[in-house]
Structures are given as C-alpha cells and as structure tokens.
C-alpha cells in the first residue's frame, strides 16, 4: 500500500520528527475518496462486508456470543446497544 505523506498544509505537532505510520495512514485515509478506490477493491470489500455480517449472524447461536454480549452489558453505558443478530 502506498501511503501518502502528510499534506504540506497540515503541520505535525513536532515538525522535527518524521510522520508516524499512524499519521501517514490517517492522511492517506483522509485523502481517499470513493473514486480513488479501484473497482476491484470496492467489489472485494462488498463481499467481505457480507461475509462479516453472515459470520456475525451465525455466531449468535454460539454460547460464546451470548456470554460476550452479557459481559459487554455489564460495562456498557445505559441505553440501547446494537449487536448484529441480537436484541438487548
């Protein structure tokens, strides 16, 4: 992956040090638009998103998913929280 350097008009907090990997990745992501993503990558991303949703839905039938959701409820703030395939 080619990471673009930080734009010249965005000074780093410490201009004496080179941009960190996180800063370079953030700049790359901020500069990315839908049209700059190759069509093949967009199509693969759609399939991966569907795969994640399917896996999440299938996992809701497993004990570990119910235990994990129950554990998260103990540390979550009040209010409604969405978990794929589960109602809380």
């Amino acid at each position: 992956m080619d990471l673009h350097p930080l734009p010249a008009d965005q000074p780093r907090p410490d201009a004496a040090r080179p941009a960190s990997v996180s800063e370079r990745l953030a700049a790359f992501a901020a500069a990315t638009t839908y049209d700059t993503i190759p069509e093949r990558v967009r199509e693969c991303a759609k399939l991966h998103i569907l795969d994640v949703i399917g896996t999440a839905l299938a996992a809701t039938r497993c004990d570990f998913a119910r235990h994990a959701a129950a554990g998260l409820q103990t540390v979550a703030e009040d209010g409604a929280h969405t978990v794929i395939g589960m109602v809380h």
Side-chain angles (χ1 to χ4, degrees), residues 6-85:
L6 286 172
D9 62 341
Q10 291 183 354
R12 291 186 301 277
D14 180 0
R17 69 172 175 76
S20 69
V21 172
S22 298
E23 290 168 329
R24 292 179 20 228
L25 183 58
F28 172 78
T32 300
T33 64
Y34 184 82
D35 292 333
T36 62
I37 301 170
E39 178 65 25
R40 176 81 175 117
V41 174
R42 292 193 306 250
E43 292 303 314
C44 285
K46 291 175 188 177
L47 293 176
H48 290 305
I49 290 168
L50 288 173
D51 188 42
V52 166
I53 293 170
T55 302
L57 287 172
T60 61
R61 296 180 178 197
C62 299
D63 285 338
F64 77 85
R66 286 188 290 279
H67 292 295
L72 289 173
Q73 283 292 100
T74 65
V75 296
E77 295 180 13
D78 290 337
H81 303 316
T82 302
V83 176
I84 296 174

